[in-house]
Amino acid sequence: DSGVTQTPKHLITATGQRVTLRCSPRSGDLSVYWYQQSLDQGLQFLIQYYNGEERAKGNILERFSAQQFPDLHSELNLSSLELGDSALYFCASSVGETGNSPLHFGNGTRLTVT
Amino acid sequence: AQTVTQSQPEMSVQEAETVTLSCTYDTSESDYYLFWYKQPPSRQMILVIRQEAYKQQNATENRFSVNFQKAAKSFSLKISDSQLGDAAMYFCAYRFRMDSNYQLIWGAGTKLIIKP
């Protein structure tokens, strides 16, 4: 058990809809990272928050947004969903700010857009 | 551009045998880290082993070891005495420093099948 909790485990929704994925980092970790894993692909970095502030941005679409709350949990909001957004979305946490400390991954949220 | 290539979409090995998974990367950096992660059917990403580029000695973790060839930009994973629990997707990842932050680049993964 990595200590990182992601909810929900599975999500099925229709095109055009909006969903929110939630992540609780491991106790003591201040950084939260969001990754997207499409079928048979490696992870694509979306965004990182550190102690409530956006720290780094990757290939995140404008339809997607995220935030990290004072209790350090994070939410990833996906709107105007398209079929191609179907993927496994991972959250990872780490102690440090710069990505130099080990990442601890959650079990992911499987999003299916129909 | 930084890239990570895993040329084997799928590998299979007999239980108790040894298997090697390949990974190559492209970089102009001299200071970086390399990782192998395992993703079993439970979907969780589990760190298997890491290698610092400045270290010449190959990293080893129990039955898992790497063959790090810096000049060739190659980072293969050797699993000895394969066990059924080793069946998973294996991802190679490369971490480098960009500005004031570290970035992780991932390969597409290799599916490892263990034959009983």
Side-chain angles (χ1 to χ4, degrees):
Chain A
D1 184 9
S2 67
V4 179
T5 304
Q6 286 188 251
T7 57
K9 288 184 179 180
H10 302 277
L11 200 49
I12 302 175
T13 190
T15 54
Q17 295 299 305
R18 171 190 169 94
V19 297
T20 297
L21 313 183
R22 182 188 170 101
C23 170
S24 294
R26 195 179 67 136
S27 178
D29 286 356
L30 299 178
S31 273
V32 169
Y33 302 77
W34 286 99
Y35 287 90
Q36 179 191 58
Q37 184 183 27
S38 300
L39 188 64
D40 295 332
Q41 296 289 319
L43 275 68
Q44 295 291 321
F45 170 63
L46 295 177
I47 197 164
Q48 177 205 354
Y49 278 82
Y50 176 77
N51 205 20
E53 300 287 329
E54 183 182 303
R55 185 66 178 82
K57 220 167 185 176
N59 299 320
I60 188 167
L61 299 172
E62 286 191 8
R63 301 184 284 109
F64 296 0
S65 65
Q67 54 184 329
Q68 186 180 28
F69 295 88
D71 67 353
L72 300 178
H73 92 269
S74 178
E75 292 181 355
L76 178 67
N77 300 297
L78 316 176
S79 61
S80 302
L81 285 167
E82 302 174 358
L83 295 177
D85 297 328
S86 295
L88 195 53
Y89 289 85
F90 279 102
C91 167
S93 71
S94 70
V95 170
E97 177 180 4
T98 62
N100 198 24
S101 49
L103 295 180
H104 304 273
F105 284 85
N107 286 350
T109 293
R110 169 76 67 188
L111 173 65
T112 302
V113 182
T114 61
Chain B
Q2 326 283 353
T3 59
V4 176
T5 302
Q6 292 180 249
S7 59
Q8 306 152 316
E10 185 174 299
M11 291 281 286
S12 62
V13 63
Q14 205 72 35
E15 192 178 3
E17 297 291 306
T18 295
V19 64
T20 298
L21 308 184
S22 300
C23 173
T24 58
Y25 56 96
D26 187 21
T27 183
S28 57
E29 306 290 329
S30 58
D31 181 22
Y32 52 88
Y33 290 77
L34 295 161
F35 303 86
W36 278 98
Y37 278 86
K38 169 185 176 181
Q39 186 180 37
S42 67
R43 306 184 322 199
Q44 187 175 11
M45 297 293 282
I46 303 166
L47 178 63
V48 175
I49 200 165
R50 60 180 273 172
Q51 174 81 43
E52 291 90 338
Y54 65 87
K55 288 187 177 179
Q56 292 186 342
Q57 187 173 8
N58 289 323
T60 299
E61 287 288 341
N62 301 314
R63 297 183 294 108
F64 299 86
S65 62
V66 298
N67 183 7
F68 175 46
Q69 302 288 329
K70 191 171 183 178
K73 297 178 183 175
S74 170
F75 182 61
S76 59
L77 174 69
K78 185 173 84 170
I79 306 174
S80 305
D81 185 24
S82 298
Q83 300 175 1
L84 294 177
D86 295 333
M89 284 290 291
Y90 285 80
F91 292 94
C92 177
Y94 157 80
R95 187 177 73 197
F96 64 100
R97 188 174 183 125
M98 186 169 76
D99 299 325
S100 59
N101 206 10
Y102 285 86
Q103 300 291 331
L104 254 183
I105 307 295
W106 297 77
T110 297
K111 182 178 182 179
L112 179 62
I113 298 168
I114 310 295
K115 299 177 183 177

